């Protein structure tokens, strides 16, 4: 009778395994550009918005190079949001500015509304990874 309440172990699909392998390769810095930059962007913005992305990437990498790679792969509306967010971020590094804060918030909102597009791009990339 208690066997009814046990969850059946679900084996990961090949798609799941490739997705996991893609992230593993990213942590080992072995993913291809511009997918590596896209994964960093996805991870950082999800953890703290565009400001966190700009701060963290500029601390460990060439931010301009990273953003250039992003522009080659992001859909136009997301690429535009990155540019606008960066301009606002630069203003906020100099001074408090309510308008720049609002621009950053709107750019974060664009990211979250269109995040599925990023995931689709990464799913296509993951499908090419050998297990």
């Amino acid at each position: 009778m208690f066997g009814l309440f046990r969850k059946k172990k679900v084996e990961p699909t090949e798609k799941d395994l490739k997705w996991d392998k893609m992230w593993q390769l990213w942590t080992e810095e072995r993913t291809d550009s511009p997918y590596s930059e896209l994964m960093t962007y996805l991870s950082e913005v999800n953890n703290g918005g565009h400001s966190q992305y700009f701060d963290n990437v500029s601390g460990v990498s060439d931010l301009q190079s990273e953003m250039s790679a992003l522009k080659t792969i992001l859909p136009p509306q997301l690429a535009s949001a990155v540019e606008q967010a960066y301009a606002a971020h630069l203003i906020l590094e100099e001074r408090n500015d309510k308008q720049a804060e609002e621009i950053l918030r709107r750019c974060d909102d664009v990211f979250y509304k269109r995040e599925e597009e990023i995931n689709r791009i990464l799913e296509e990339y993951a499908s090419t990874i050998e297990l």
Side-chain angles (χ1 to χ4, degrees), residues 6-12:
R6 280 192 207 154
K7 289 186 176 181
K8 292 182 180 179
K9 184 174 180 176
V10 178
E11 293 296 321

Side-chain angles (χ1 to χ4, degrees), residues 25 29-39 125 128-129:
L25 292 170
E29 299 180 356
R30 297 185 334 163
T31 48
D32 299 326
S33 182
Y35 301 100
S36 178
E37 293 85 356
L38 184 60
M39 294 167 76
Y125 174 62
T128 67
I129 292 174

Side-chain angles (χ1 to χ4, degrees), residues 18-47:
K18 286 184 173 199
W19 181 263
D20 290 346
K21 173 110 183 219
M22 176 187 70
W23 283 101
Q24 176 189 347
L25 292 170
W26 177 73
T27 63
E28 297 168 358
E29 299 180 356
R30 297 185 334 163
T31 48
D32 299 326
S33 182
Y35 301 100
S36 178
E37 293 85 356
L38 184 60
M39 294 167 76
T40 299
Y41 175 68
L42 176 68
S43 178
E44 292 294 343
V45 175
N46 266 322
N47 284 324

Side-chain angles (χ1 to χ4, degrees), residues 51-69:
S51 284
Q52 178 171 313
Y53 167 72
F54 300 130
D55 287 341
N56 287 351
V57 170
S58 64
V60 297
S61 184
D62 177 1
L63 179 58
Q64 295 304 316
S65 176
E66 293 265 338
M67 288 178 23
S68 290

